[in-house]
Amino acid sequence: MKALLLDAEQRTANVKSIPEQRPAQNELLVRVISVALNPVDSLYVFNPLGSTGRVLGSDFAGVVEGLGATVPLTSTLKLGDRVAGFLQGACSINDRPGAFSEYLVCPWDLVWKVGDGMRLQEAAAISLCGLTAAQALFYRLDLQAPFRWPETPAMTAGPEECRQGSQKALLFFIYGASTSVGMYAAQLVRRSAESSGRTFTLLGTAGQKHFNMLKAEPYCYTDVVDYRDDDWPAKVLSLTNGTGVDYAYDCISESSTVSNTGKTLASNGKMAIVRSKEGGAWTAENLDSVVEPSYGAVWEGLGEDVGYQGMTLPASREARSFTVSFYKWLSEGGKLKPNPLREMPGGLESIVDDGLSLLGSGTMRDRGTKSAKGWMEPLSAEKLVYRIATD
């Protein structure tokens, strides 16, 4: 079968033929139909952690072609089912499989069943960024989730408890509202409000061209501030009458964004970020000493030890069970609308020259390309997807 393999020495990737994989007893064999690109996919091509020959890619959607002998009947999975999920690809030191191939194998309970009303191109764009947002909101910031998992924690003292007895809306701020993670986070804040009965006022930053989209369904921001304004933290604070927000989620976490996002918090506010300080992506000179941003790599949700960003993340049973529960919620029709897509021409062979070029080296500052091709316009508020095969 064909797969997109890392060339660590040349900091690129090439399509090559590799042996077709066979599912282990607890795994599925999936024929990949569509894949979606994430910034980490390009980051670890241009700055490789993995060794040459690793299969790239994380997000996928496809059709079940085989089931391992111990996949339980209670899973309701069968040949021909449409499923989606993500793998780690070449984003770690230790060997992990990737999704950019004609076939892949993965644990049976780490996929979700795609409903008839959703295209596989749309489903491919949900898993990694949707789970990243869900982990931040429910697993780290302790908002009430629209689903339960075995280790659901007791609510810790925080903004919701401090406002008990008050019907005042909780203030939630998202820096990078038009990013893939940010758009899913906004939807999940709404799902939390529906399940908890609480009211949220949603504030965000984005480029002005996205304001109308973000204020409409399915995001429904109350107000959006232009991230290009030097005084955007002060503008966010003014929208709270100077009290600050109860929750903040920095969906960029580069350079000064973490410090500036921290400036928007109320005295008892909570904050989550998408990139670790250990990775060197951001600085915190002006971050209030009482604010400890919550971070966790989405890979924890796969339930395996991960050598990542100069540190080892131990396997987490709790994080894995959270993923399983989130996927079950999606399978049962969880209300999460796919982000806007840019459906790219070509298949595996076009990912490096076009897709990775658009994403750059994995940071927002390095994005942008000039090309006469209509599909190579600079990327903004869209998810890149490629069709690998027909349904």
Side-chain angles (χ1 to χ4, degrees):
M1 69 175 185
K2 291 183 178 179
L4 187 60
L5 305 184
L6 175 67
D7 183 340
E9 290 73 26
Q10 299 300 317
R11 298 174 185 263
T12 187
N14 302 288
V15 176
K16 294 187 176 182
S17 293
I18 62 173
E20 187 172 317
Q21 302 180 71
R22 295 182 180 275
Q25 289 193 331
N26 69 329
E27 290 182 332
L28 305 175
L29 174 66
V30 177
R31 180 167 63 92
V32 179
I33 303 299
S34 295
V35 298
L37 271 62
N38 293 282
V40 291
D41 297 324
S42 60
L43 174 64
Y44 294 119
V45 170
F46 296 116
N47 305 277
L49 288 176
S51 56
T52 294
R54 292 274 294 276
V55 179
L56 298 181
S58 43
D59 273 320
F60 70 88
V63 177
V64 176
E65 292 276 318
L67 295 87
T70 62
V71 174
L73 293 176
T74 54
S75 73
T76 72
L77 289 164
K78 62 185 184 301
L79 297 180
D81 279 349
R82 304 190 314 150
V83 297
F86 76 94
L87 302 178
Q88 197 181 358
C91 300
S92 66
I93 296 171
N94 46 325
D95 197 5
R96 292 281 179 262
F100 292 175
S101 58
E102 293 179 317
Y103 291 86
L104 59 81
V105 295
C106 63
W108 69 268
D109 57 347
L110 291 181
V111 298
W112 54 279
K113 295 177 72 171
V114 180
D116 293 338
M118 184 179 294
R119 297 184 303 139
L120 288 178
Q121 293 95 317
E122 295 173 320
I126 292 178
S127 302
L128 187 145
C129 288
L131 180 62
T132 298
Q135 285 177 339
L137 270 59
F138 310 134
Y139 193 64
R140 307 190 202 290
L141 294 180
D142 294 333
L143 268 68
Q144 182 171 315
F147 57 88
R148 294 189 64 81
W149 64 99
E151 292 80 17
T152 302
M155 295 298 290
T156 56
E160 294 198 50
E161 286 69 26
C162 292
R163 294 192 179 195
Q164 281 184 352
S166 170
Q167 295 303 309
K168 184 177 180 181
L170 293 165
L171 301 171
F172 199 109
F173 169 66
I174 298 176
Y175 182 83
S178 63
T179 64
S180 288
V181 172
M183 288 189 279
Y184 288 127
Q187 295 185 62
L188 290 171
V189 168
R190 297 187 62 199
R191 302 292 84 80
S192 177
E194 292 167 358
S195 64
S196 67
R198 298 303 305 264
T199 301
F200 284 86
T201 294
L202 191 58
L203 308 175
T205 60
Q208 289 188 17
K209 65 180 179 180
H210 299 310
F211 282 11
N212 289 338
M213 175 190 75
L214 293 169
K215 291 180 179 181
E217 290 282 353
Y219 315 111
C220 298
Y221 277 82
T222 304
D223 278 295
V224 187
V225 172
D226 193 333
Y227 75 95
R228 296 182 182 88
D229 293 341
D230 291 338
D231 62 343
W232 68 258
K235 290 184 176 180
V236 172
L237 280 173
S238 71
L239 294 173
T240 72
N241 295 320
T243 62
V245 299
D246 300 299
Y247 299 95
Y249 188 20
D250 180 355
C251 295
I252 302 294
S253 304
E254 294 177 8
S255 188
S256 61
T257 67
V258 176
S259 294
N260 286 331
T261 299
K263 296 175 183 177
T264 69
L265 284 172
S267 59
N268 64 325
K270 294 183 176 182
M271 176 178 171
I273 56 180
V274 296
R275 302 184 72 172
S276 70
K277 184 177 182 181
E278 289 81 1
W282 54 272
T283 56
E285 288 84 355
N286 300 314
L287 192 63
D288 192 322
S289 60
V290 303
V291 177
E292 182 62 36
S294 177
Y295 167 77
V298 69
W299 316 120
E300 291 178 282
L302 299 177
E304 303 280 355
D305 289 338
V306 178
Y308 176 66
Q309 293 285 57
M311 57 185 174
T312 298
L313 300 175
S316 170
R317 180 176 59 88
E318 293 81 5
R320 191 185 192 284
S321 70
F322 180 89
T323 304
V324 171
S325 297
F326 176 65
Y327 281 176
K328 183 178 180 181
W329 179 70
L330 290 178
S331 298
E332 294 173 345
K335 299 177 183 178
L336 206 58
K337 183 177 179 180
N339 287 337
L341 305 183
R342 183 181 298 186
E343 299 185 33
M344 301 290 283
L348 290 173
E349 291 81 3
S350 300
I351 289 177
V352 172
D353 288 343
D354 291 351
L356 297 189
S357 295
L358 281 169
L359 289 175
S361 66
T363 67
M364 298 298 291
R365 296 187 303 275
D366 293 338
R367 288 189 179 184
T369 185
K370 294 182 179 180
S371 173
K373 303 173 183 176
W375 60 88
M376 292 296 288
E377 291 291 323
L379 190 63
S380 181
E382 292 176 302
K383 192 75 168 177
L384 297 178
V385 295
Y386 281 89
R387 192 175 182 87
I388 304 303
T390 56
D391 293 36

